[in-house]
Amino acid sequence: MQVGTGTVFSFHYTLQDAEGAELESSREGEPHAALYGRRQILPGLEDAIAGKERGETFKVTLPPEKAYGVRNEESRARVPIKHLVKKPAKMQPGMMVQVNTRDGVRNATIIKVGRFNVDLDTNHPYAGNSITFDVEVTDVRAATREELAHGHAHGAGGHHH
Ligand code: ZN
């Protein structure tokens, strides 16, 4: 069975930056599962997975605008330290933190630490990078009627509810 409309696909991935350094990998956990066509993963990655079968491996490189966005130098904010989700014991520039915003929890990088506030770079940590996904399709199956109704994959690597 090929990945396409009406299927749920599972995959392992490794994320690399343009220099080939590993940024992230799913291989320590269970494969990620998604319902095809619902854009639950990056569209460029989903388009590359279309038509693949279980066991296939491939690499796809996405430019920043198709991956995590271009860097926006305006994306900076000064926020009260108490708005950080988990305040690191010793905060330093370059450290990744999570901050509560009106739009929910966001990842950010510390630029400067003050007494009560921190200056944050709120670009996605991978913004501005061409990202290469090294992908292994671990399963392709027909979506259940319930999954199609809910609009997401159930079970291992998907939604649990
Ligand atoms: Zn559901």
Side-chain angles (χ1 to χ4, degrees):
M1 183 178 282
Q2 296 181 330
V3 176
T5 304
T7 64
V8 166
F9 57 97
S10 303
F11 63 102
H12 270 306
Y13 66 90
T14 301
L15 273 187
Q16 296 170 337
D17 67 14
E19 279 75 48
E22 183 174 316
L23 300 173
E24 208 176 292
S25 174
S26 67
R27 292 188 177 275
E28 283 117 59
E30 58 187 13
H32 194 74
L35 177 61
Y36 180 79
R38 303 303 173 99
R39 297 315 203 201
Q40 288 154 355
I41 59 173
L42 290 175
L45 177 59
E46 184 165 62
D47 291 346
I49 287 184
K52 297 287 193 288
E53 297 184 21
R54 182 204 302 221
E56 278 194 69
T57 58
F58 68 94
K59 281 189 182 189
V60 58
T61 299
L62 302 177
E65 57 273 18
K66 290 199 164 176
Y68 296 99
V70 294
R71 290 192 66 80
N72 177 357
E73 295 310 321
E74 310 287 299
S75 295
R76 293 171 170 239
R78 175 165 291 181
V79 304
I81 288 172
K82 62 184 181 202
H83 286 187
L84 299 182
V85 175
K86 265 182 254 149
K87 183 180 155 317
K90 195 160 180 237
M91 293 192 291
Q92 285 173 336
M95 208 175 248
M96 226 96 95
V97 290
Q98 293 192 313
V99 59
N100 285 305
T101 72
R102 277 183 306 246
D103 306 320
V105 175
R106 297 275 306 266
N107 291 308
T109 309
I110 295 178
I111 300 170
K112 199 173 130 204
V113 183
R115 191 150 167 211
F116 301 109
N117 299 298
V118 275
D119 290 352
L120 299 176
D121 176 342
T122 55
N123 284 292
H124 188 284
Y126 305 155
N129 276 302
S130 285
I131 300 283
T132 297
F133 286 87
D134 193 338
V135 178
E136 178 191 355
V137 179
T138 56
D139 194 28
V140 185
R141 62 173 172 81
T144 65
R145 201 179 296 169
E146 197 182 37
E147 285 173 323
L148 291 169
H150 288 197
H152 54 228
H154 290 163
H159 279 248
H160 301 274
H161 59 95

